[in-house]
Amino acid sequence: MMQNNQVSPRLLTPADAPAAAAVEAACFARPWSEASLRGSLESPCGLFVGLWQGGRLIGYAGMHLVLGEGAVDNVAILPQYRGQGLGRALMQAFLQQAALRGCRRVTLEVRPSNTAARRLYASLGFAEEGLRRDFYDGPREDALLCGLDLNCFRKARL
């Protein structure tokens, strides 16, 4: 496992859109464009946390927060950095920032076939709450809807 002192989380800014777009392109069949990412990074409702190694963005998580509820848009770690505990470090920093901004509840969708992500989310306290039929394409797949009460996260982990 890579030592967490070699990586550091920080909030992303619109200037980080090109780096986030590169992570997107490496991780997803249908990546967000740099322009879409920049728009989300500029939004007062957006919360995006990146995980950096040196000057390189190696992963990020983003959500939109409205009235105390967060909807996760994307969580991505570059393929060569997966399986080293970095997803957990990223999610913990991400959820902590959400809690600090007054977020009380977070939801996300995950592919049923993404067992590594499902295990991570469950270990952080996310519970499966429903199914969105045919949510994903490339390949076509349902999405599991998961939710987390951040008050529990804040008390247990922060």
Side-chain angles (χ1 to χ4, degrees):
M1 182 173 148
M2 182 177 289
Q3 298 298 314
N4 285 338
N5 64 0
Q6 293 180 318
V7 297
S8 59
R10 75 163 168 80
L11 293 173
L12 297 183
T13 69
D16 297 316
V23 171
E24 278 278 317
C27 293
F28 300 115
R30 292 189 161 212
W32 284 22
S33 70
E34 184 179 324
S36 292
L37 285 161
R38 181 172 280 107
S40 289
L41 290 165
E42 290 171 344
S43 170
C45 297
L47 171 63
F48 288 75
V49 173
L51 199 59
W52 298 83
Q53 182 178 48
R56 182 177 190 204
L57 181 66
I58 61 171
Y60 84 92
M63 74 168 72
H64 284 79
L65 299 165
V66 178
L67 299 174
E69 295 195 10
V72 175
D73 299 311
N74 279 335
V75 178
I77 297 284
L78 289 173
Q80 65 269 34
Y81 292 93
R82 294 178 187 163
Q84 301 176 47
L86 298 175
R88 172 173 301 286
L90 173 61
M91 287 300 294
Q92 287 174 328
F94 181 55
L95 294 171
Q96 182 176 26
Q97 284 298 316
L100 290 171
R101 289 186 179 205
C103 185
R104 295 180 307 277
R105 179 168 165 71
V106 175
T107 59
L108 58 80
E109 293 92 3
V110 61
R111 289 178 182 268
S113 64
N114 192 343
T115 56
R118 289 177 61 197
R119 276 194 306 269
L120 171 62
Y121 299 145
S123 75
L124 291 168
F126 281 89
E128 293 180 10
E129 297 178 338
L131 187 71
R132 296 190 194 276
R133 296 264 179 224
D134 295 325
F135 184 81
Y136 295 106
D137 56 5
R140 178 75 100 205
E141 191 171 355
D142 296 339
L144 293 172
L145 178 62
C146 301
L148 173 65
D149 176 351
L150 275 186
N151 291 322
C152 293
F153 182 86
R154 185 180 297 113
K155 291 175 190 169
R157 293 177 176 85
L158 297 182

